[in-house]
């Protein structure tokens, strides 16, 4: 009940328009529970079951703010195709929970690529990826580059950008006497989504419930100037044969 109370208060305080809960470890949710999560608002929900004792995703949106085109699911993600009612902007919201076990991480990364590579609409993908991107996202030197390297290759191949996290360096910690801290949770966006919401931010909130993860708050920022062009330079562009012509 404490978790539901915390989520309800969070929804009311920040006037949330969508909510993603990860590692729910739940196969079903009652209407009362869902109503409590979103602070009494009417939300449209979709979820996928956990695998064994871990996993599970719950994703909900406020249908007074967004129209829903369709909902699709995979083993590690839920995707909502949406349209902002205020301006008609169409995009995809994707919530992910990455495999914690090494033997399933390849399947998770493959599913991300399949979910995004042929997507024609802008998209935002966020959640617990269960993979860090480099040694700076961990507080000790027990680091294996295999999965971070593949994860970064996927991000680069899909031309995604990560919205910078403020308020905390790490998003997960274990409960050992000398805990390990890692940044497992993040928000990735396509170039087109970033152009629409160039002032979007991700803030780490206080961890006020029994969880080993830090809640993240996404804000679209002031969208009134979203039509203003922005310029980003990616080092990877230097490897393109047509770099000079494009620039």
């Amino acid at each position: 009940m404490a978790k539901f109370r915390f989520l309800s208060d969070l929804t009311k305080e920040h006037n949330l328009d969508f909510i993603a809960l990860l590692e729910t470890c739940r196969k079903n949710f009652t209407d009362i529970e869902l109503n409590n999560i979103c602070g009494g608002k009417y939300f449209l929900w979709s979820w996928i079951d956990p695998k064994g004792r871990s996993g599970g995703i719950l994703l909900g949106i406020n249908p007074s703010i967004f129209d829903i085109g369709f909902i699709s699911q995979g083993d590690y993600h839920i995707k909502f195709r949406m349209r902002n009612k205020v301006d008609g902007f169409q995009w995809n919201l994707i919530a992910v929970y990455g495999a914690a076990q090494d033997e399933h991480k390849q399947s998770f990364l493959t599913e991300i690529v399949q979910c995004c590579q042929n997507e024609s609409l802008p998209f935002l993908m966020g959640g617990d990826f269960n993979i860090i991107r480099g040694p700076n996202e961990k507080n000790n030197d027990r680091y294996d580059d295999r999965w971070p390297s593949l994860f970064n290759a996927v991000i680069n191949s899909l031309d995604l950008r990560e919205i910078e996290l403020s308020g905390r360096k790490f998003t997960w910690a274990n409960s050992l006497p000398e805990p390990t801290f890692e940044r497992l949770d993040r928000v990735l966006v396509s170039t087109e989504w970033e152009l629409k919401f160039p002032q979007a931010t991700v803030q780490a909130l206080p961890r006020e419930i029994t969880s080993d993860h830090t809640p993240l708050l996404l804000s679209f920022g002031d969208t009134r100037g979203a039509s203003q062009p922005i310029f980003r330079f990616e080092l990877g562009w230097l490897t393109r044969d047509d770099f000079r012509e494009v620039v």
Side-chain angles (χ1 to χ4, degrees):
M1 288 302 295
K3 291 184 178 181
F4 289 131
R5 228 177 3 253
F6 170 76
L7 293 168
S8 178
D9 292 343
L10 204 62
T11 301
K12 294 174 183 176
E13 178 183 356
H14 297 284
N15 194 28
L16 301 183
D17 292 325
F18 60 82
I19 301 170
L21 301 182
L22 311 167
E23 200 171 10
T24 59
C25 300
R26 296 278 299 273
K27 290 187 175 182
N28 291 292
F29 297 86
T30 67
D31 290 340
I32 293 176
E33 288 171 336
L34 295 175
N35 188 62
N36 286 337
I37 290 173
C38 56
K41 292 183 178 180
Y42 172 69
F43 268 44
L44 186 149
W45 298 95
S46 179
W47 63 84
I48 57 177
D49 295 346
K51 295 174 177 58
R53 297 183 178 180
S54 65
I57 303 174
L58 174 67
L59 180 61
I61 64 101
N62 185 344
S64 69
I65 303 298
F66 307 107
D67 287 324
I68 297 296
F70 69 84
I71 300 172
S72 62
Q73 299 181 349
D75 290 332
Y76 305 101
H77 81 278
I78 301 176
K79 178 196 285 189
F80 282 9
R81 174 159 291 190
M82 312 197 299
R83 184 183 71 87
N84 296 357
K85 290 188 174 182
V86 67
D87 60 5
F89 180 68
Q90 297 184 64
W91 57 289
N92 288 293
L93 172 63
I94 306 168
V96 305
Y97 177 76
Q101 302 83 7
D102 281 356
E103 60 266 28
H104 299 306
K105 289 187 186 295
Q106 183 68 57
S107 297
F108 165 60
L109 293 175
T110 299
E111 182 168 302
I112 286 179
V113 172
Q114 293 173 343
C115 173
C116 300
Q117 64 180 352
N118 295 319
E119 184 52 62
S120 60
L121 292 180
F123 62 89
L124 176 149
M125 176 169 53
D128 177 5
F129 291 81
N130 264 313
I131 304 176
I132 62 176
R133 297 189 64 182
N136 62 312
E137 294 191 343
K138 192 172 186 178
N139 73 324
N140 57 49
D141 57 4
R142 295 191 294 274
Y143 175 73
D144 183 346
D145 190 53
R146 178 189 179 190
W147 297 115
S149 178
L150 287 173
F151 186 30
N152 286 322
V154 167
I155 291 172
N156 292 334
S157 70
L158 295 172
D159 197 21
L160 302 181
R161 292 188 59 81
E162 181 168 349
I163 301 179
E164 184 177 354
L165 174 68
S166 65
R168 191 180 291 258
K169 183 177 181 180
F170 305 111
T171 64
W172 172 87
N174 60 23
S175 56
L176 297 177
E178 295 185 6
T180 295
F181 296 92
E182 296 182 340
R183 181 173 176 182
L184 302 179
D185 309 83
R186 63 192 79 242
V187 176
L188 305 172
V189 298
S190 66
T191 301
E192 296 80 8
W193 196 95
E194 185 186 32
L195 289 171
K196 175 66 176 177
F197 303 107
Q199 299 184 51
T201 60
V202 176
Q203 176 187 357
L205 299 178
R207 196 168 59 191
E208 298 181 1
I209 54 176
T210 306
S211 173
D212 49 8
H213 287 266
T214 298
L216 302 185
L217 175 67
L218 170 72
S219 172
F220 287 4
D222 185 355
T223 61
R224 289 173 295 180
S227 60
Q228 297 296 319
I230 59 173
F231 178 76
R232 306 284 191 192
F233 185 85
E234 300 286 349
L235 292 177
W237 294 352
L238 294 171
T239 64
R240 292 182 51 160
D241 294 337
D242 60 346
F243 170 73
R244 293 182 181 276
E245 290 77 8
V246 171
V247 173

